[in-house]
Amino acid sequence: MAINEKALQLFEDNNYTEALELLEQAVIEERTVQSLNNLAWMYLYEEEDAHRAKPLLEEVVALNPQSYFPYNMLGEIALQEKDWEGARDILKRSIAIQPSPEAIHNLAVADYHTGRFRQAAEGFHSIAKDSDCISWYEVIARIQNEETADAKLILDRWNSESDHYLGALEAADAYVELGCFQEAREMYEKEWADYFISPYVISRYAYVLFHLQELQVCRQVIDQGIAGKLNELEEERQELCDESWSETDKAERIEELKEELSGLQQLFSKLQSGFRPAFEFELHHEGGCYLFGCKLHGHPEYV
């Protein structure tokens, strides 16, 4: 059995250390597209060490491989490094070889961060599923590009029956950005009692209620958040410390909770003074299995 095949079989059998040692041995024996790529994959995804993976992948790309695998990984590392233009360049090379959903997604992320909101929206649109996270990314990109009608059309069709449904709170947040407060309120109400509600979500919902002149409900939502935060504080004070949760960890968490409590206690008066809670949004990149010879995903070995 060849080294690569044996290593991937060990990896599939959860013998990770032995698998990694074999892949490192394969690179020592011969620095090929396959050996370098597969070791880089292990470093990037299993070791979470992009610094070790990156030079291996740069060596692979210098060999002009006819596979998108190393390009996708290099593009992902560039996104982690916030090298948006570098990510765009390498991901375009990947797509030119073979379009993959991961490369299209990550190129859209890079486009968004470089202010190419229309390209980002179109990229997300091409791979989005009904009311999923990527569809939500498209909404935000279209809002940034001032395509508000298109963004609202997607939100108005937000489908809770979809197998890929992201949720109502995210749709509500996007409606707030569009200034559609009644629609935002309806979305917030759908899931308000079902999930842990963060101070951020409370502040955004309270902002919506304040602008709808629902002042009593606004105060109730804030008071609910304050009561919950007081309860969290008391539970944290009583939490016992151990080897995984030190006194320092506990003290830092208590200070964090106190800050969140203070923010909620001041929220209504700040809304009266014209406060608008800032929109918090983070794009996440996509990874995948880029192992040559992976039987689980039907990847052939690199020839």
Side-chain angles (χ1 to χ4, degrees), residues 16-36:
Y16 172 71
T17 302
E18 295 91 334
L20 180 60
E21 288 173 354
L22 276 182
L23 289 174
E24 289 174 333
Q25 180 184 332
V27 169
I28 292 171
E29 292 186 4
E30 189 176 8
R31 304 181 78 87
T32 64
V33 168
Q34 178 165 289
S35 66
L36 292 164

Side-chain angles (χ1 to χ4, degrees), residues 193-207:
D194 298 333
Y195 298 97
F196 169 79
I197 303 299
S198 68
Y200 168 74
V201 176
I202 291 170
S203 70
R204 297 279 285 183
Y205 187 24
Y207 173 78

